[in-house]
Amino acid sequence: MFFVMRAGHGDPALSALGDLATPEAIAAFHKRWGLDAPLVVQFWRWLSGALVGNFGVSMTIAGGVPIADLIASRLPNTMFIGLYALVIAVMISLLAGTVSALRHGRLIDSAATSMAVLGISMPDFWLSYVLVYALALGAGLFPSYGFISPADSLVAALYSGFLPALAVAAPMAAAFTRILRTALIETLYRDHVRVARSLGFTGAFIFVHYVLRNALIPYVTVIGLQVRYLLGGTVVVERIFGVPGIGALMVDAAFGRDYAVVQACALTFLVIVLIVNFLVDTLCNALNPRAA
Amino acid sequence: MSIKGKHVTRRDALKLTSGVMAAGFSMPWAAGRGLAQQAATLRAGIAGFNVINTLDPMKATLIPEFYVIYGAFNALLKFNSKMEVVPDLAESFTVANATTLEFKLRKGVKFQDGSDFSADDVKFTLDRVADEKNAAPNRSKVTAIQDIQIVDPYTIRIVTKAPFAPLLNYLTNTRTATQIVSRTAIKAHGDEAFGRRPVGTGPYIVKDWKSGESLELEAFPGAFSGAPKVARVMCPLIAEESSGMTAILGGQIDLTSTAPFADVPALEKRPEVKVLKQAGLNTRYIALNNRKGPFADINFRRAVSMAFDREVLVKAVLFGEGVAIPGVLPPALWADAKPAFGQYVTFNPERARAELAKSPHKAGTEATLLVWGSNWWRRMGEIVAGQANQVLGIKIKLEATDFSAAYSRMKAGEADAMVMGWLGFVDPDEYIGELAGSKGFRNIHGYANPKMDELLDRGRTEIDPAKRKQVYAEAERLLADDLPVLPCFCSNVHNLLRPNVKGFVQLPYSNFADQFGTVELG
């Protein structure tokens, strides 16, 4: 990423100093931030800092502010919206997927399946504006812009973050519903479920212990896959709703040629994805009746 | 459901609940805005931008930086509501001769750190901008100054090497870098810290600045212009203009710095928001590579210029919020002589094809037009390229990139063309002088014409405004013949206000925080 970013056009000096920058100002900026050194030297400077957890300071989008501070203030907001969206998506999909599977082929199933297709097809920016116009400006139920960090007030964060979380959750809920429905229907007709029925277990007991538990394995795997995209997926929503998150930070940094900030954000994403992968694999193992 | 005989629908109940929630958990920039404090906080959204690099006037270049600087500082002079230059930190000024200006300064003015303002701060500010070591982006505005003489603590004399007509404009509180800084504060804290916590004489002190998120301003009761009526201003940095609009419609902010062109007609009909607009001081054009490629040929440039309709641009890009222009001077600028549209800047497909026939570059010629920024910039490129391709049979293709990359490529002579524009400048030399002068630093297109340079030099040294205006009219005619750039349009400036916001006076150079000191919340 270090070399790819530098291979592109654009100059951090222009981002920081703007279009009025004189050649002298640009040269002074390059010198100040070590951009006049060979690329290998610049890379070594960055790497030797990153290895000990020192990401340096922002040179354009937040001139002089330590990058660790920027990430520390932004990451909780993105994670909060991501988790909030995940909870909403899981709740909606558990309900819709289950109802759809148990009533498959009926009107409610068709309705749920159609909603899922709609949810997957909707661009996030469009859905965001629909939510703003319908629920914020129309019904007046939520703020149309702005977010209060959970660090300041958890309840306020839940309230101000509802629309952005819902915008992020909608396509996920649609994908989860479809996978859960398919997995449940497939499991419902498996031999071990028939055997359980013939043994006289109740429908609810069979559903929870023999159907849902098996169906949850592909469901959780898909959730894990989606979570990987969750961080990047919040970028547009963060900008529209004014959530100061890490996705928006990374995009701003990329446009501002704030190389070190982009690299630090990418590294943060990488670590989070690795952790999520580990957690998903662990959860899948725990859920698998054969492994349990 | 009913309350005391009144029928209450479920929607009413939901609204009531959300209202209670909203009161309890208002946005950070509205925090603490209870009933008792209702007039205590102005929420002024900076829309369309979320990057501010510095608040040091000497280093600032971006318009959102100046939005804030306008309110934290004063300059020797300022523009009044009629766009006349009037004293600000100066009490009065006299033109001693063609090269000498003398300023009597206000007495008893305090900086926000409590230190006294005097002629020493004025000299320090201007010397600092002029000092090559500081590499100030706006250094060219003060390089004509030869000497700054402190006559006494409240009298200062500025002597230029030759008559320099733009100087008065360059000493105003606009995008000039000449806002007066506190020498004491800079010496005490250093340039870096000053850029984040500036100290000026303006009505608002920068109290907090969260990069990429918001700024908090606190009223400076000792401001010489009088104590501000609003105790606190929160300025969220709202990246999307459309989000600024939804924020004000939703009541999350009271004022915006801009509005999306496409939504202005609809917003003007809404009672919950007031739209301020007027012709702006800005210019939008297509920058062309005059050094190499097809646009290095004058006939090709003229052919493309006649192959697109500027009125269509105004309708489709600005939704009528602006005017087509035949040159690069905005009609709102006093120096614009409102020249007629010359033949090369008038849409005429027949003539365009005839002009192309004179060029070595015929139908089928390929070129790339770089587009960047908001949707309307892209739409501008699409329409120009689409119409020119259709009329001339050439192949201009669009390449979407970001501003920094487009600017670098254009400056290096590696790109054929890019959509381009400037805003907020107050002197004609900042527009045509920097754009068309062979040494102008906004001349990224590589245009050089000795006749133009001679005209621009005359424009800088001609003190009589009427004669100066004639010089620029001539320069505009030459520009419309040579077409180093393709002039397109000038857009209106907009502010959105909640009806309770009183006292904000909009000026055409995209002012903002300079008005906060007189704003009241009803």
Side-chain angles (χ1 to χ4, degrees):
Chain A
M1 175 164 279
F2 180 93
F3 291 102
V4 166
M5 280 210 66
R6 278 158 179 83
H9 286 281
D11 187 341
L14 279 178
S15 304
L17 305 175
D19 32 38
L20 299 174
T22 58
E24 296 79 29
I26 291 171
F29 184 91
H30 286 168
K31 193 174 175 192
R32 186 192 161 194
W33 294 102
L35 296 170
D36 53 349
L39 273 187
V40 180
V41 175
Q42 291 183 45
F43 181 68
W44 172 246
R45 279 180 194 153
W46 174 78
L47 187 67
S48 52
L51 285 173
V52 292
N54 177 11
F55 294 117
V57 296
S58 159
M59 64 179 167
T60 64
I61 59 165
V65 176
I67 294 169
D69 291 356
L70 282 177
I71 290 179
S73 72
R74 301 285 193 114
L75 189 59
N77 296 336
T78 298
M79 289 184 69
F80 179 82
I81 294 293
L83 281 172
Y84 196 178
L86 199 63
V87 170
I88 294 173
V90 167
M91 284 166 64
I92 293 173
S93 60
L94 276 176
L95 187 68
T98 305
V99 171
S100 196
L102 292 177
R103 299 278 182 275
H104 75 273
R106 299 190 195 171
L107 183 64
I108 195 160
D109 178 28
S110 303
T113 312
S114 305
M115 288 299 287
V117 172
L118 196 67
I120 289 172
S121 318
M122 278 190 296
D124 48 7
F125 69 89
W126 183 80
L127 178 63
S128 298
Y129 280 116
V130 167
L131 292 174
V132 166
Y133 280 96
L135 299 181
L137 300 182
L141 297 173
F142 297 96
S144 57
Y145 186 86
F147 174 69
I148 296 176
S149 171
D152 294 331
S153 163
L154 183 62
V155 185
L158 286 168
Y159 174 59
S160 63
F162 182 74
L163 289 188
L166 190 57
V168 175
M172 284 199 303
F176 297 170
T177 301
R178 285 176 63 160
I179 195 74
L180 184 64
R181 175 185 175 274
T182 309
L184 285 173
I185 290 172
E186 196 187 325
T187 316
L188 274 170
Y189 295 101
R190 283 207 178 149
D191 290 345
H192 71 274
V193 177
R194 286 206 188 95
V195 170
R197 250 186 228 122
S198 69
L199 290 173
F201 292 127
T202 63
F205 183 85
I206 293 169
F207 184 78
V208 171
H209 289 88
Y210 294 98
V211 180
L212 189 61
R213 191 163 178 189
N214 275 299
L216 280 180
I217 298 167
Y219 178 72
V220 171
T221 308
V222 168
I223 290 176
L225 286 169
Q226 287 285 326
V227 168
R228 291 169 202 177
Y229 302 108
L230 201 57
L231 295 168
T234 59
V235 171
V236 174
V237 174
E238 281 177 5
R239 283 178 80 98
I240 291 173
F241 289 98
V243 179
I246 195 170
L249 177 72
M250 191 171 175
V251 170
D252 290 340
F255 278 123
R257 300 291 186 278
D258 209 334
Y259 304 132
V261 176
V262 177
Q263 285 153 211
C265 289
L267 205 61
T268 308
F269 283 153
L270 182 72
V271 170
I272 291 173
V273 167
L274 287 174
I275 293 171
V276 167
N277 278 355
F278 172 74
L279 290 176
V280 168
D281 288 346
T282 309
L283 193 60
C284 282
N285 273 336
L287 284 170
N288 190 343
R290 280 169 294 190
Chain B
M1 190 183 345
S2 68
I3 296 173
K4 286 188 182 173
K6 275 189 176 178
H7 180 72
V8 179
T9 64
R10 256 186 299 182
R11 170 177 267 218
D12 292 336
L14 274 169
K15 277 189 174 177
L16 186 68
T17 313
S18 66
V20 171
M21 294 279 282
F25 316 120
S26 48
M27 294 302 102
W29 43 90
R33 195 179 166 206
L35 287 175
Q37 292 174 292
Q38 203 147 25
T41 302
L42 170 72
R43 302 160 303 169
I46 295 177
F49 303 95
N50 65 338
V51 172
I52 285 183
N53 294 307
T54 179
L55 294 172
D56 180 347
M58 183 193 75
K59 294 181 186 168
T61 59
L62 307 176
I63 192 73
E65 293 167 350
F66 280 103
Y67 283 156
V68 181
I69 285 170
Y70 294 156
F73 293 89
N74 294 98
L76 286 176
L77 307 169
K78 67 177 180 180
F79 284 99
N80 67 11
S81 58
K82 294 175 188 163
M83 281 304 284
E84 297 161 336
V85 175
V86 295
D88 194 9
L89 276 171
E91 206 168 51
S92 64
F93 64 95
T94 49
V95 182
N97 58 52
T99 57
T100 308
L101 286 170
E102 189 169 289
F103 294 88
K104 294 279 179 200
L105 306 180
R106 287 178 189 272
K107 291 175 183 160
V109 175
K110 295 274 184 195
F111 280 104
Q112 293 159 351
D113 62 355
S115 59
D116 291 320
F117 158 78
S118 74
D120 189 45
D121 296 294
V122 178
K123 182 170 166 52
F124 173 77
T125 298
L126 299 179
D127 283 345
R128 186 169 175 253
V129 178
D131 189 342
E132 269 185 87
K133 286 203 296 291
N134 290 328
N138 274 301
R139 186 172 171 267
S140 67
K141 292 195 163 68
V142 296
T143 46
I145 298 174
Q146 187 178 43
D147 192 20
I148 300 168
Q149 301 160 0
I150 296 177
V151 180
D152 64 52
Y154 296 102
T155 309
I156 196 157
R157 200 173 289 149
I158 298 177
V159 183
T160 54
K161 295 166 190 160
F164 187 58
L167 188 59
L168 281 182
N169 288 332
Y170 289 170
L171 295 175
T172 57
N173 188 10
T174 54
R175 296 182 73 176
T176 53
T178 56
Q179 285 82 0
I180 307 301
V181 298
S182 160
R183 179 186 189 133
T184 314
I186 289 182
K187 292 292 171 200
H189 307 295
D191 284 356
E192 198 75 38
F194 187 83
R196 289 197 71 84
R197 288 286 178 279
V199 178
T201 54
Y204 281 95
I205 301 166
V206 177
K207 193 181 172 198
D208 192 24
W209 168 13
K210 289 193 178 105
S211 294
E213 293 179 38
S214 63
L215 291 109
E216 183 181 351
L217 312 179
E218 189 180 57
F220 173 41
F224 76 89
S225 50
K229 297 185 174 75
V230 178
R232 182 168 168 260
V233 181
M234 290 301 296
C235 299
L237 297 166
I238 304 173
E240 303 293 331
E241 272 188 348
S242 50
S243 296
M245 179 188 69
T246 53
I248 199 164
L249 288 174
Q252 270 75 55
I253 55 175
D254 304 306
L255 170 69
T256 68
S257 57
T258 55
F261 296 126
D263 296 300
V264 168
L267 287 167
E268 286 177 315
K269 294 175 190 149
R270 297 190 70 139
E272 68 270 45
V273 66
K274 194 161 68 176
V275 179
L276 296 186
K277 71 173 185 181
Q278 63 177 301
L281 286 175
N282 55 64
T283 188
R284 324 287 186 181
Y285 56 89
I286 308 287
L288 305 173
N289 188 340
N290 286 234
R291 305 176 188 95
K292 63 180 184 188
F295 290 111
D297 176 55
I298 190 168
N299 299 112
F300 191 79
R301 295 201 297 268
R302 287 173 175 170
V304 174
S305 178
M306 289 188 281
F308 69 93
D309 190 343
R310 287 159 178 82
E311 293 300 335
V312 169
L313 285 180
V314 170
K315 284 179 193 147
V317 177
L318 300 180
F319 297 84
E321 292 299 317
V323 288
I325 49 173
V328 293
L329 290 183
L333 191 69
W334 65 269
D336 184 48
K338 316 281 182 294
F341 279 76
Q343 59 168 328
Y344 301 128
V345 284
T346 303
F347 178 55
N348 189 325
E350 286 304 314
R351 276 193 176 166
R353 281 189 282 269
E355 196 67 31
L356 189 70
K358 296 180 202 165
S359 167
H361 307 285
K362 307 295 182 196
T365 299
E366 292 182 4
T368 302
L369 171 59
L370 304 180
V371 293
W372 50 270
S374 320
N375 283 340
W376 68 266
W377 282 109
R378 289 164 198 252
R379 209 174 306 124
M380 177 179 164
E382 285 163 11
I383 292 169
V384 170
Q387 286 200 330
N389 289 350
Q390 194 178 14
V391 168
L392 301 172
I394 56 176
K395 291 177 183 169
I396 299 178
K397 64 173 191 238
L398 297 182
E399 186 182 324
T401 180
D402 62 274
F403 177 79
S404 177
Y407 191 87
S408 301
R409 286 167 68 184
M410 198 70 207
K411 203 170 178 180
E414 292 167 8
D416 294 322
M418 74 180 279
V419 294
M420 195 61 193
W422 305 95
L423 82 162
F425 297 139
V426 290
D427 191 86
D429 194 47
E430 293 180 280
Y431 290 94
I432 192 163
E434 295 293 357
L435 260 173
S438 58
K439 289 179 186 162
F441 62 79
R442 272 174 222 125
N443 180 359
I444 56 172
H445 29 273
Y447 172 67
N449 182 339
K451 167 82 176 146
M452 178 65 87
D453 284 344
E454 190 259 319
L455 279 170
L456 297 173
D457 283 343
R458 268 172 53 202
R460 284 180 199 114
T461 52
E462 179 54 69
I463 302 294
D464 181 346
K467 286 182 187 165
R468 200 172 174 222
K469 189 171 176 175
Q470 283 172 9
V471 172
Y472 286 117
E474 205 178 325
E476 284 269 84
R477 277 195 294 275
L478 181 58
L479 184 127
D481 268 356
D482 280 2
L483 291 171
V485 301
L486 305 180
C488 291
F489 54 76
C490 168
S491 55
N492 293 340
V493 290
H494 302 96
N495 294 100
L496 304 179
L497 283 75
R498 299 287 295 178
N500 63 323
V501 178
K502 315 280 181 207
F504 183 90
V505 177
Q506 182 191 61
L507 294 170
Y509 63 83
S510 304
N511 64 323
F512 197 53
D514 50 317
Q515 297 296 316
F516 293 172
T518 52
V519 161
E520 286 181 73
L521 293 173

